[in-house]
Amino acid sequence: MKDEMKAKLTFRRWLLRIHGTILTLVALGSAVATTVGWMTGIGPFGFMQQNPMVWVGLIQAYLLMTIIAVLLVLGSRQANARKWNVVGALAHCAPLIAALSSLNVFESMGALGVVRVAITFHFVWLCLETFAALYPDPSH
């Protein structure tokens, strides 16, 4: 029984650590890429040099994502990691809502394939974190 309980807790904790690590890398990488685009005017984010307010919004979003990522990793060390699985699941709702409500925009840009990959990615993580959050606590 104890081994089963430890395995279930380990799944929750490892999921949070992996999720937090991936999110940290994506958020900080995106923050660097947008800043380079804003400062130099080159790359996929080069358009921000003409509209710096876009960078202001994006850098805030990427830094908030980094904070969430760090909290997921730190939360994985707490006795009750389940609540952090809820946070991890909820973190995917905003990008899913944005992507799904903007399908026509992505289609007009010819980027429907890219957004489908993003939707799949976020949906998979939403399901994993939701499963971890709802899975019965073996200690009860």
Side-chain angles (χ1 to χ4, degrees), residues 12 16 72 78 80-88 133:
R12 281 194 178 110
L16 288 167
L72 293 179
Q78 291 186 351
N80 181 9
R82 179 187 300 232
K83 62 186 164 195
W84 293 103
N85 294 117
V86 172
V87 172

Side-chain angles (χ1 to χ4, degrees), residues 30-135:
S30 298
V32 168
T34 57
T35 302
V36 168
W38 167 61
M39 293 177 75
T40 65
I42 58 174
F45 298 104
F47 70 92
M48 285 189 273
Q49 198 168 43
Q50 283 75 38
N51 191 354
M53 284 304 291
V54 174
W55 177 81
V56 171
L58 282 176
I59 199 70
Q60 289 178 57
Y62 293 140
L63 295 177
L64 284 170
M65 287 168 55
T66 305
I67 291 168
I68 291 169
V70 169
L71 290 174
L72 293 179
V73 173
L74 293 175
S76 73
R77 299 176 183 156
Q78 291 186 351
N80 181 9
R82 179 187 300 232
K83 62 186 164 195
W84 293 103
N85 294 117
V86 172
V87 172
L90 291 174
H92 290 280
C93 292
L96 277 170
I97 290 168
L100 292 170
S101 64
S102 304
L103 287 175
N104 58 342
V105 173
F106 289 104
E107 185 176 23
S108 71
M109 295 171 54
L112 209 49
V114 173
V115 79
R116 286 183 178 145
V117 171
I119 289 168
T120 302
F121 175 84
H122 288 292
F123 184 74
V124 167
W125 278 99
L126 173 68
C127 290
L128 284 170
E129 290 286 10
T130 300
F131 174 77
L134 295 177
Y135 200 79

